[in-house]
Amino acid sequence: HHHNRRIVIMVSRKMFAVAGGVTATVLLAAAVVMSVQSGAPASLLQTQLDANTVLTTTGQSLPLSALYEPTEPVSEFPTPTANAMSLKSPEQWLVTMNTNVGPFQMKIHRAWSPNGADRFYSLVRNNFYDGARFFRYADNFVVQWGIRGTPSIDQMYQNGANVMDDPRRADIGNTKGRVVFATSGANTRSTQVFMNLADNHFLDSQGFTPFGEIVGDDLSLFQNKINAEYGEKADQNRIISQGNQLYLKKSFPHMSYITSESVKVLAE
């Protein structure tokens, strides 16, 4: 974080250059260094700096402007290998997903599945799931989502976007209310996730490692509000190739979907 502190001093120097010349600059620089050493003001300063950046898995600091905003053209969406898609998940964080039938929250635990949590954090911070339909509803089993419904983006995430599997933890299984990446075999997690609607422990030995859990009684949204009428009829390949506009909205007009997503860090 020394780089950040240097930035603060340099910005201050620009502001004070006219007022008091060299003396003011030196004094101010000394004051910043002292506050960095003395504790309280520094931690405040650090928090303010950190709020404007995100960290990659390699320890690189990225400005928030590097992340994708829904107002930007879809051509700007980061590729699977971009720094913006290689973010390091906080140890614990809350994700709020607003849907057309109401919001739900999940608490994400990086320790449960680090590679999975890192990828999910990267997707959420880049607003990947905006517009994504709950395209698979297997009653008393799972609800699945995570194809964005934007063909250019979904096709980009079909190849070279997979993250490595995380070791299975005996104490963290597929219990009701836990969220997990969908796979098509070893090391194939990319963007699709599912919510366990029941205790599905037979999935534990098949490489499905939960990375988070529903908060409070928000599972009721999945059980009672998210539309179950289409079951498992939607064709994933057609969602990827034709998207929400050409396929899902026409064939499954009442399919529930995510409208926006946000993050609240609980523990760095």
Side-chain angles (χ1 to χ4, degrees):
H1 292 302
H2 294 293
H3 182 58
N4 289 340
R5 288 170 191 161
R6 268 209 300 280
I7 290 169
V8 171
I9 295 166
M10 279 160 49
V11 168
S12 310
R13 187 177 297 149
K14 276 183 196 157
M15 285 172 4
F16 278 82
V18 184
V22 178
T23 321
T25 306
V26 173
L27 282 171
L28 197 79
V32 171
V33 171
M34 277 166 58
S35 76
V36 163
Q37 288 162 351
S38 67
S43 61
L44 184 67
L45 181 71
Q46 204 53 55
T47 305
Q48 287 165 348
L49 288 169
D50 289 346
N52 297 319
T53 58
V54 282
L55 215 57
T56 68
T57 49
T58 57
Q60 190 178 341
S61 198
L62 285 186
L64 295 188
S65 58
L67 305 178
Y68 180 81
E69 288 298 330
T71 50
E72 296 179 277
V74 294
S75 58
E76 298 286 306
F77 198 86
T79 64
T81 54
N83 280 333
M85 200 46 70
S86 310
L87 305 182
K88 184 175 190 280
S89 164
E91 285 307 308
Q92 290 190 339
W93 52 284
L94 275 181
V95 56
T96 301
M97 293 204 155
N98 293 304
T99 79
N100 68 316
V101 292
F104 68 93
Q105 283 191 315
M106 299 184 295
K107 185 177 183 180
I108 311 304
H109 303 266
R110 190 175 189 272
W112 289 8
S113 186
N115 293 335
D118 287 350
R119 167 53 66 84
F120 190 67
Y121 185 69
S122 302
L123 290 165
V124 171
R125 289 303 304 253
N126 285 284
N127 297 287
F128 176 87
Y129 294 105
D130 286 21
R133 266 59 184 162
F134 297 96
F135 65 82
R136 181 186 183 202
Y137 198 113
D139 202 37
N140 207 39
F141 177 41
V142 299
V143 174
Q144 191 164 325
W145 74 98
I147 302 176
R148 197 175 200 269
T150 311
S152 60
I153 295 175
D154 289 319
Q155 285 161 9
M156 187 163 67
Y157 277 78
Q158 288 313 294
N159 299 299
N162 293 344
V163 297
M164 296 299 287
D165 287 343
D166 287 300
R168 178 187 170 190
R169 280 183 51 168
D171 57 327
I172 308 293
N174 283 268
T175 52
K176 185 176 181 175
R178 287 193 173 156
V179 63
V180 193
F181 270 94
T183 72
S184 54
N187 303 312
T188 57
R189 295 181 296 176
S190 62
T191 66
Q192 289 192 43
V193 296
F194 63 85
M195 174 64 64
N196 282 298
L197 297 181
D199 290 341
N200 296 318
H201 282 294
F202 66 93
L203 296 175
D204 295 352
S205 60
Q206 298 177 32
F208 294 102
T209 55
F211 59 87
E213 60 194 334
I214 202 82
V215 172
D217 60 357
D218 283 3
L219 195 65
S220 63
L221 186 91
F222 285 83
Q223 294 160 328
N224 307 320
K225 299 270 184 74
I226 289 174
N227 191 5
E229 75 173 290
Y230 302 122
E232 302 183 65
K233 292 195 184 96
D235 179 325
Q236 290 191 25
N237 291 323
R238 283 190 69 186
I239 308 174
I240 291 163
S241 63
Q242 299 174 13
N244 294 336
Q245 299 298 338
L246 296 178
Y247 176 50
L248 290 185
K249 285 185 179 181
K250 291 179 177 175
S251 300
F252 309 99
H254 305 297
M255 194 174 267
S256 304
Y257 59 93
I258 292 163
T259 54
S260 64
E261 54 206 287
S262 61
V263 165
K264 182 186 179 187
V265 176
L266 300 175
E268 294 289 354

